[in-house]
Amino acid sequence: MKLIRVAVLMVLPFVCVVASAQAYAIRVTYNTNLRAAASLQDPVVETVLAGTILNVVGSSDRWLRINRNRAEVFMADWVDYTRVESSDQTQANIDNCCFVDRQCHTNQEWTDGYWAFQNGQCAAPAGTQSETQPTGGDTSQVDNCCYLDWNCSSDDDWLMGFHAFRSNRCVHRGLAIEGSEAFVAKIERALAILKQRSPGWYDYSLRGLDKIKEVPDTVHAGVHIAGRTFNISPIHTVDRPGERAAIWLAGIIVHEACHVHQFDAGLPYAHLEGERACLEIQLEALSLLYPGARDPFGLRTVLENIENPDYQWWLN
């Protein structure tokens, strides 16, 4: 299978398309940015927590129009969310005490809220994970990979374990990294920052890639779709000041995982359309990894000029 050139660094020209006049509700899977307008260049108004229910009132191209606190904000439609049957939080849609009797602001509070609901404890303060885990050999209550073959030690581990179980991915834990000691250390640091600052995009990367492999500079780097392997040469892991090197690599990893996700979804995954889509994804991830950066690593400029052959890195 042909390799896709590594993206050092992708949003179709915005054409407003009204999807539906009827409002509906969604629940975001991960912490998600809401923006002032339908563009990655517009400021983040709010970052809502995983599990938040939002009311969608329309769409503009690849952006959802959200009615939030009596104001209109926008959410990218390529981030993970699930649709609920109505905008009302009916009992059929509620699976977490955070929707019932408590205000939840952290991953741990949402996790505790979920387990409290499962145990009929919404009227009382939720216990911790360890207090509600299945005991003995009973697996009938298992709904998290952390109960099976994952070694979970943090709130983020448990959150990812829950979502991985729901999508039947317990057998896939982490990425295989092949290369020199220095290369492995750089990739591990990038993944650690990705996991710490944006568990959602970390999980997205793990679902897209099985392996990251070091290759010589003379070999064309890129993602091998069939093998779900990201081949990367040392030239793309150059040191940058402070954490910039790790953030840079983390963004590239998200970008290359995007190519696999695009392929799996039957969407354009290569050439102009594929690279544009994955650069868009990369920039959204970098907004959480590198908050406050107006044009992280110059990628926004690349996106704005991607129709210009001088900016089409995959043709070089």
Side-chain angles (χ1 to χ4, degrees):
M1 169 100 40
K2 184 179 179 180
L3 292 178
I4 299 171
R5 294 292 182 83
V6 67
V8 295
L9 337 215
M10 298 184 350
V11 35
L12 297 171
F14 287 115
V15 178
C16 285
V17 179
V18 177
S20 171
Q22 184 176 5
Y24 60 92
I26 61 172
R27 180 181 294 140
V28 297
T29 305
Y30 305 111
N31 295 358
T32 301
N33 288 331
L34 302 180
R35 296 182 179 271
S39 168
L40 290 174
Q41 299 181 36
D42 287 285
V44 175
V45 176
E46 180 184 4
T47 299
V48 295
L49 297 173
T52 301
I53 290 180
L54 301 172
N55 289 324
V56 180
V57 295
S59 66
S60 297
D61 194 35
R62 298 189 65 192
W63 293 81
L64 301 178
R65 290 194 295 116
I66 306 293
N67 186 339
R68 180 74 171 167
N69 298 325
R70 299 182 180 180
E72 185 176 273
V73 292
F74 291 80
M75 178 186 126
D77 75 351
W78 59 83
V79 300
D80 283 351
Y81 64 87
T82 57
R83 184 162 172 166
V84 296
E85 293 182 358
S86 75
S87 58
D88 297 325
Q89 295 181 15
T90 62
Q91 187 64 33
N93 292 326
I94 294 174
D95 62 359
N96 196 307
C97 292
C98 295
F99 299 136
V100 179
D101 66 344
R102 62 192 71 188
Q103 296 293 319
C104 300
H105 303 287
T106 68
N107 286 340
Q108 182 62 58
E109 288 172 342
W110 276 94
T111 302
D112 288 344
Y114 171 80
W115 287 108
F117 184 91
Q118 306 308 308
N119 290 274
Q121 298 173 341
C122 284
T128 62
Q129 284 272 346
S130 60
E131 293 174 334
T132 57
Q133 297 175 10
T135 58
D138 179 16
T139 61
S140 61
Q141 300 180 52
V142 170
D143 68 349
N144 196 307
C145 296
C146 296
Y147 295 138
L148 302 177
D149 60 347
W150 286 25
N151 181 21
C152 301
S153 57
S154 70
D155 296 347
D156 290 338
D157 287 341
W158 279 94
L159 182 63
M160 284 184 291
F162 172 72
H163 291 299
F165 184 92
R166 296 180 65 184
S167 55
N168 195 29
R169 292 183 292 103
C170 286
V171 295
H172 181 26
R173 178 58 164 162
L175 290 166
I177 306 173
E178 293 183 4
S180 65
E181 184 176 341
F183 174 83
V184 171
K186 289 179 179 180
I187 298 298
E188 287 181 341
R189 186 180 182 212
L191 290 172
I193 284 185
L194 187 58
K195 180 178 179 181
Q196 177 186 25
R197 299 188 183 179
S198 182
W201 289 114
Y202 176 78
D203 180 66
Y204 177 90
S205 300
L206 264 60
R207 288 187 283 118
L209 299 172
D210 291 339
K211 181 187 296 184
I212 299 177
K213 182 178 179 180
E214 183 179 29
V215 296
D217 287 333
T218 54
V219 175
H220 289 314
V223 62
H224 190 283
I225 296 294
R228 305 174 78 87
T229 299
F230 176 23
N231 296 315
I232 180 171
S233 57
I235 194 173
H236 296 299
T237 62
V238 294
D239 289 324
R240 295 171 181 266
E243 293 183 329
R244 284 170 57 83
I247 295 172
W248 167 254
L249 277 175
I252 292 178
I253 291 168
V254 171
H255 183 114
E256 298 306 321
C258 168
H259 286 299
V260 179
H261 283 290
Q262 291 282 108
F263 176 82
D264 288 345
L267 299 173
Y269 66 94
H271 310 302
L272 176 61
E273 290 188 21
E275 294 296 347
R276 180 175 5 224
C278 291
L279 183 54
E280 189 177 58
I281 288 287
Q282 183 179 358
L283 280 168
E284 185 64 21
L286 284 172
S287 70
L288 297 176
L289 299 175
Y290 203 176
R294 294 177 59 86
D295 188 9
F297 308 108
L299 301 189
R300 198 177 302 282
T301 300
V302 173
L303 178 60
E304 294 170 353
N305 295 277
I306 200 167
E307 299 281 353
N308 185 336
D310 292 339
Y311 287 83
Q312 295 175 354
W313 64 89
W314 63 93
L315 299 179
N316 298 331

